[in-house]
Amino acid sequence: MIATLNITISLAAAFQGHLLRTAGAHSAINMAAELSTSINIKEPRWDQSTFVGRAKHFFTVTDPRNILLSNEQLEHSHKIITDYRQGVVSPGLTEDELWRAKYVFDSAFHPDTGEKMILIGRMSAQVPMNMTITGCMMTFYKTTPAVVLWQWINQSFNAIVNYTNRSGDAPISVSQLGTAYVSATTGAVATALGLNALTKHISPLFGRFVPFAAVAAANCINIPLMRQRELKHGIPITDENDNRLGESTKAAQQAISQVVVSRILMASPGMAIPPFLMNHLEKKAFLKKFPWMSAPIQVGLVGFCLVFATPLCCALFPQKSSMSVSRLEPELQEKIRASHPGVERVYFNKGL
């Protein structure tokens, strides 16, 4: 399993290296003169109006190597970015180093609250954590205790991720966290056990898709419940210059819907492709002779799929999402038109 994880991280590292090499054409110029303070590091390095630009951005954001960074490295990047935003350029800083610091900063600190995020809740932990949990969930799905254990572990992890990557800067109460966690775990376990019972008399191949159905159902429960405060009170909305205009529940509904779709599609390749491969491999002599290899192989297959699915599905919708003022709540529309008559679209962080 350790070897599999290393291979997966190496794949992600290769993509990261390629992206940084292709984006570093101006580094020689930066070495010759002091770095300009006019680079807009509030936005990602690549054009976020295109899917390709968002994909490049998220291949960097989900780079698993970021979880190996020390607190000193994180604080160093934090200082570079904080100073740069105040017009102070670290001596000898190049543009590539600035962008690297920004992505390290973004990988560890919440965009709205500025707090350092829980390690396993960061997007850079998605591939190694999900490949392990999902691989085991799909390997040990036949018995009730195994279903309950791995669905519980998966929803515990999802609860941490959903809380860590929530949109907005409003706190979530312990009771809200507890309700979301218990509801999602119950829903996932009930779905998995119910489908397991239905598939006992049909092809074993269909049984391998039970974990995916349970995960999809749980995402539809877990994410809205974990972010229920946003649905009740709204999330911060701004104009294109980041001037805060208020809080909108309509924006929260759009943001959460997009996240649910992304999460389900993110899980799809890793939970849909390996079942066919494993169903074929387990009929071969190798796995019949070494059945204990089934779990590591399954984890590896899931990890390979997640290396691509995680950033590509994160890129389906812009992180800085937007909507027309005319789609906001009527009272908020009136407030914006009275105080900012020229604003036609509002922007918000959709979360991840």
Side-chain angles (χ1 to χ4, degrees):
M1 189 176 296
I2 293 174
T4 302
L5 177 58
N6 287 335
I7 292 171
T8 304
I9 291 178
S10 296
L11 282 168
F15 269 89
Q16 167 71 353
H18 172 70
L19 292 176
L20 290 178
R21 284 194 299 273
T22 57
H26 303 293
S27 59
I29 297 174
N30 292 336
M31 290 292 288
E34 184 174 312
L35 190 64
S36 167
T37 57
S38 61
I39 299 171
N40 183 13
I41 59 170
K42 290 183 179 179
E43 301 296 333
R45 189 170 194 175
W46 295 279
D47 182 7
Q48 297 300 283
S49 65
T50 67
F51 176 77
V52 172
R54 294 195 297 272
K56 289 180 178 179
H57 167 69
F58 280 108
F59 267 111
T60 306
V61 169
T62 60
D63 181 358
R65 293 177 300 173
N66 286 337
I67 63 175
L68 304 176
L69 297 174
S70 66
N71 284 329
E72 290 75 16
Q73 290 172 303
L74 296 179
E75 293 301 331
H76 178 64
S77 294
H78 187 284
K79 185 178 186 305
I80 289 175
I81 298 304
T82 303
D83 287 349
Y84 190 84
R85 287 174 176 171
Q86 296 173 352
V88 179
V89 179
S90 301
L93 185 70
T94 67
E95 184 174 346
D96 281 346
E97 290 170 345
L98 175 66
W99 282 111
R100 172 60 183 160
K102 173 196 161 47
Y103 277 103
V104 169
F105 175 87
D106 288 349
S107 76
F109 297 91
H110 192 278
D112 293 325
T113 67
E115 297 175 353
K116 187 181 290 184
M117 295 184 286
I118 303 167
L119 180 63
I120 64 171
R122 300 173 192 171
M123 291 309 293
S124 51
Q126 286 290 293
V127 171
M129 290 297 297
N130 270 325
M131 66 180 280
T132 303
I133 295 173
T134 304
C136 290
M137 204 166 33
M138 295 173 65
T139 301
F140 309 111
Y141 67 93
K142 295 180 180 179
T143 66
T144 298
V147 168
V148 172
L149 174 65
W150 286 104
Q151 290 294 340
W152 170 72
I153 291 174
N154 187 49
Q155 291 314 311
S156 297
F157 173 64
N158 283 343
I160 293 172
V161 172
N162 293 337
Y163 173 77
T164 304
N165 294 283
R166 68 197 183 281
S167 174
D169 50 13
I172 300 177
S173 69
V174 175
S175 63
Q176 289 172 329
L177 285 172
T179 300
Y181 173 66
V182 172
S183 300
T185 304
T186 303
V189 171
T191 301
L193 293 178
L195 290 175
N196 266 348
L198 291 174
T199 57
K200 285 181 178 178
H201 304 293
I202 57 178
S203 169
L205 178 61
F206 288 97
R208 293 182 179 274
F209 290 94
V210 168
F212 174 61
V215 166
N219 274 325
C220 294
I221 300 169
N222 193 325
I223 296 171
L225 282 174
M226 187 62 67
R227 298 175 60 175
Q228 60 185 291
R229 193 187 188 287
E230 299 171 34
L231 293 171
K232 291 180 181 178
H233 303 289
I235 57 176
I237 57 171
T238 68
D239 62 15
E240 62 182 354
N241 298 315
D242 291 329
N243 298 310
R244 191 158 174 166
L245 303 175
E247 289 77 35
S248 170
T249 57
K250 294 290 186 181
Q253 291 170 13
Q254 176 174 305
I256 292 170
S257 298
Q258 290 176 345
V259 170
V260 169
V261 171
S262 293
R263 291 284 188 85
I264 292 175
L265 292 178
M266 191 185 299
S268 299
M271 301 189 83
I273 297 173
F276 289 104
L277 297 176
M278 291 305 298
N279 194 59
H280 174 73
L281 291 174
E282 287 181 354
K283 296 175 183 177
K284 301 297 181 180
F286 178 76
L287 283 183
K288 287 182 178 180
K289 185 176 181 180
F290 304 104
W292 58 271
M293 284 294 295
S294 180
I297 291 174
Q298 184 119 259
V299 168
L301 290 171
V302 172
F304 180 79
C305 293
L306 285 174
V307 163
F308 301 97
T310 300
L312 293 178
C313 289
C314 282
L316 288 175
F317 305 101
Q319 180 66 35
K320 187 178 180 180
S321 194
S322 68
M323 65 192 306
S324 171
V325 171
S326 61
R327 293 179 54 201
L328 298 173
E329 302 88 311
E331 62 275 12
L332 188 54
Q333 290 184 41
E334 293 178 11
K335 175 185 173 183
I336 293 173
R337 285 174 178 147
S339 58
H340 298 79
V343 174
E344 295 296 330
R345 292 195 75 78
V346 295
Y347 301 85
F348 50 91
N349 171 28
K350 72 174 176 64
L352 286 171

